[in-house]
Amino acid sequence: MVTVYHYVFLAAVLFIIGAYGMLSARNAVRVLMSIELMLNAANINLVAFSSYSGTVSGQALASFVIAVAAAEAGVGIAILLVLYRRMRSVNLREAVSMRW
Amino acid sequence: MVAEYSWLIPVFPLASFVLILLFGGRLREGGGHLAVAAVGASMLLSLAVISHVVRFGSYESRGISWFGSEAFRFGVLVDPLSAVMLFVVSFVGFLIVVYSLGYMHGDPGVQRYYAEISLFIASMLSLVIANNLVFMFISWELVGLCSYLLIGYWYRKPSAASAAKKAFLVTRVGDILFLAGILVVYREFGTLNLSEVFELAPGVATATLTLASLLLFGGAVGKSAQFPLHVWLPDAMEGPTTVSALIHAATMVKAGVYLVARMYPLFTPESLHVVAWIGGITAFIAASMAVVMTDLKRVIAYSTVSHLGFMTLALGVGGYAAGIFHLLNHSFFKALLFLSAGAVLHAVHSQDIRDMSGLWRRMPVTGTAFFIGAWSLSGLPPWSGFWSKDEIMAAVHSYSTPLFWLTAVTALLSAVYIWRLFFIVFTGRESEQAKHAHEAPLVMRIPLIILSLGALFSGFVVFAGFGEFVQGALEHAPEAAEHASGSVMLLSILLAATGTGLAALTYYRPVISAARVRRALAPVHTLLVNRYYLDHLYYFFATRVVADSARALRGVDEFIVDGTVNGTGRAAVCSGRKLRLLQSGVVQDYASWVLAGAFLLLVIAGLIGGGV
Amino acid sequence: MIQELVFLVISLFVIAGAAGVVFAQRLFHAVLSLALCLLSVAAVYITLGAEFLAVIQVLVYAGGVVVLFLFAVMLTRSDLQLRREPLESFAPVSAVLFGVLVLFYIARTGFVPQGERALAPGDVASVGQVIFSPKAYALPFELVGILLLAAMVGAIYLARRDERW
């Protein structure tokens, strides 16, 4: 029998992979993709809890999350393009002008 | 009645102080005439008040209170004791200020001189009529201040400045003890008004009284240059001779003796014992040092210390009247000696007696004055010094035998040193400097003459009932001191004569060779010339103990305080330098810090318990 | 039994896709991997009975967002092979630690059984009820609309070529 914990576990693993990717990737696009992974993990949690409680609001919230995530990805890529025009590269290790 | 105006007595010289300070520059002689007038007025008023006391007895005013406090009232008390002091201070003070007109003529700072002298006389006068310990203390401190100012009158001279400092610091020690005594009195009696304190005194425990009186005596030890705080007085001779005469012979130094006499009801047999011995020791060591000194004023200064010792001794052994009697006489002949010395210095421009000799020819008036002063001081009959010294010796005789013999030796030495001075300075072949000497101007000669009369005849008041008069100031007369008996009188005359003879044989006709005596007693001589090494002791204490420990503590302070302050600064800068390295510029590093923070929060939340 | 198997298979796809995003050498592959992952998540939603949400996931995420990333890859020419640089920062370590902690907490709950899954309605109508009812999420819905507008304007402005406007 599948319990809610299965889904929670799955979401956790997905989140960890996303976090790892966000922190260690050099390419900015990869970072943004990792962020999407983390958001999806959160969504899985939302829907799982909502489903196992017999309510629907979790799904409603999840759809809002998807909307916001999409918006964020769009704006993020726009910023990325500006950065690319400046630096000719999207290697985040090179974008370090705001250091000590 | 006139006694109600006795508070005015210090006011005249006080006003003179202020006026001279403000306008003295524009007046002739720097305002000296104003000072003379003011002190003269005080003197006349004092005489009037004294006659009132003689006829009607003591007078005390209630005075003004300090912000409504009952314990601190500034009022006036004139009793026989204050009467004597008023007389001494105002009369001798007046003569000396007149003398100053001649002595200080031409000195660039005379305005300052007369202002300070006026303030001094005002303070001294208020000291002797104060009826409250705090009032007394304030006047006491003012007197000390003026002494400092006047010793250091020629402030550009380093020796004068340092002597002034020394005087102030040493008497300060005494002042602290005095203050401590006042505190004990206040705690025990709840009041500082003299009459109230004396009324309550019999009911207080002996130990407390002894403590209080000894502390107060501490103040006297400082001010009256008793052992071991006598070291400032000889060096105080750096000031003008008139200052030495007035402050360090006739008046200020008497303040300590006055204090003991005034607070006599508080003294227990135990504290009086201390007083007596300190007086006796002081008298002896000062006299011994006077015999070897070569500076004219210094010899007279040591003589003053010695005689102050006599007065203290007298009070200690119960000879209350004898002590005050000697105070009166001493003021005259000591002032006389100083002023004649002043005339000599004025003429010869040197203070070393080895430069002077044979001055009699050119300065007969001065010489006579000095002669009279010496005769009186040495205790030869029939002049004043003989009578009071006699009374003192009688009192000591009935008190303690070892002390008596010490006093006897001191009496002998007194004769020796003063006649030594006279013979060296005034007799013999004229020295180089003496050839240029001239007699003092009239304005200086007249006070000398008047003082001479005083030195000769002041002793005869004893026949007018002086003793009983003075003792009227006390509620309970002290243990009946033995009065001059025949044998004591004879011994005293013998001692004075022997001393005079020794001096004559050594310095008038060189029968005894001074140089050979000096060689024979070389170690003693060294000890005396080095002032029993007391000054060395004090100097050592001040430099090594005090200064070095201060330096060490300063190091600690710098280390701790500055260390903390600078350390804090350095810590801030250092940590800043290290912490800024956290800003790598790499966004992901920042993100990982966020994650780490979330991690920490989760851990904490988990530990605290409750739902995660 | 069947349920568990299904769940397992779908989970594997999710995880594999995620891993691919992070570890794929070429960026293009990473994007495709992302697409796989997102589709698998949609499958997860279906197993949870959220059909409407699953469809939205496919349309918006697997459809729109993935295309967006593809454009990003193409416009920034970052498909070029990047040399594998050594991981110098402690960032990954902290991610791992964090993960350990999360799993620890999950384990700590003791896996109290929740009982049978109550089948919640996942159809459009019920979801729509919740979203549009004024007592529930009507206001947030409107606000999200405004947010999308703002994001769109912002993205267009940021990415413009011409400095003239």
Side-chain angles (χ1 to χ4, degrees), chain B residues 210-256:
Chain B
T210 311
L211 177 68
S213 54
L214 280 178
L215 286 172
L216 293 172
F217 179 58
V221 168
K223 205 59 127 210
S224 292
Q226 299 296 297
F227 174 84
L229 296 176
H230 63 280
V231 292
W232 65 272
L233 190 48
D235 289 333
M237 298 299 113
E238 292 283 340
T241 310
T242 44
V243 167
S244 309
L246 179 62
I247 298 187
H248 306 124
T251 47
M252 183 183 112
V253 292
K254 304 283 169 51

Side-chain angles (χ1 to χ4, degrees), chain A residues 19 22-26 31 92-93 95-96 98-100, chain B residues 580-592 595:
Chain A
M22 178 185 77
L23 296 179
S24 66
R26 291 164 314 276
V31 171
L92 281 178
R93 295 291 185 270
V96 288
M98 299 233 291
R99 65 194 280 153
W100 77 84
Chain B
R580 75 203 268 245
L581 296 175
L582 280 176
Q583 300 236 252
S584 60
V586 178
V587 179
Q588 282 145 325
D589 280 355
Y590 303 154
S592 37
L595 203 63

Side-chain angles (χ1 to χ4, degrees), chain B residues 486-573:
Chain B
S487 51
V488 173
M489 205 182 292
L490 214 59
L491 179 65
S492 141
I493 297 176
L494 204 64
L495 288 167
T498 316
T500 314
L502 280 173
L505 288 174
T506 315
Y507 298 103
Y508 189 54
R509 293 271 182 269
V511 174
I512 308 173
S513 156
R516 288 213 355 234
V517 174
R518 210 177 305 144
R519 270 199 299 269
L521 295 173
V524 176
H525 186 257
T526 319
L527 180 69
L528 293 176
V529 168
N530 283 309
R531 314 184 190 186
Y532 291 88
Y533 296 103
L534 273 177
D535 275 313
H536 295 87
L537 203 72
Y538 281 126
Y539 184 72
F540 175 80
F541 182 72
T543 48
R544 282 315 166 76
V545 178
V546 175
D548 284 357
S549 53
R551 231 171 310 211
L553 286 175
R554 184 191 80 182
V556 169
D557 169 63
E558 277 185 5
F559 186 68
I560 294 179
V561 176
D562 289 356
T564 312
V565 173
N566 292 342
T568 315
R570 246 177 310 130
V573 171

Side-chain angles (χ1 to χ4, degrees), chain C residues 11-32:
Chain C
S11 308
L12 283 170
F13 274 103
V14 171
I15 307 255
V21 170
V22 177
F23 296 109
Q25 289 238 7
R26 299 184 52 174
L27 202 62
F28 191 76
H29 296 174
V31 180
L32 293 177

Side-chain angles (χ1 to χ4, degrees), chain A residues 78-98:
Chain A
I79 295 174
L80 194 88
L81 288 176
V82 177
L83 185 69
Y84 177 74
R85 280 183 212 148
R86 289 293 211 100
M87 267 187 3
R88 289 271 108 207
S89 143
V90 282
N91 185 347
L92 281 178
R93 295 291 185 270
E94 290 172 27
V96 288
S97 55
M98 299 233 291

Side-chain angles (χ1 to χ4, degrees), chain B residues 12-13 62-63 79 126-127 161 256 269 273 300 342 347 421 433 437 461 467 473 525 551 579 591:
Chain B
F12 294 125
R62 223 176 149 248
D79 65 357
S126 73
L127 174 65
H273 192 70
I300 308 180
L421 260 192
Q433 280 87 334
V461 298
H525 186 257
R551 231 171 310 211
L579 284 174

Side-chain angles (χ1 to χ4, degrees), chain B residues 157 236 354 417 438 467 470 474 483 491 525 551 579 600 602 604:
Chain B
K157 222 164 61 135
R354 292 170 292 201
Y417 66 66
H438 54 87
V470 167
L474 294 176
H483 269 277
L491 179 65
H525 186 257
R551 231 171 310 211
L579 284 174
L600 214 63
L602 281 174
I604 292 172

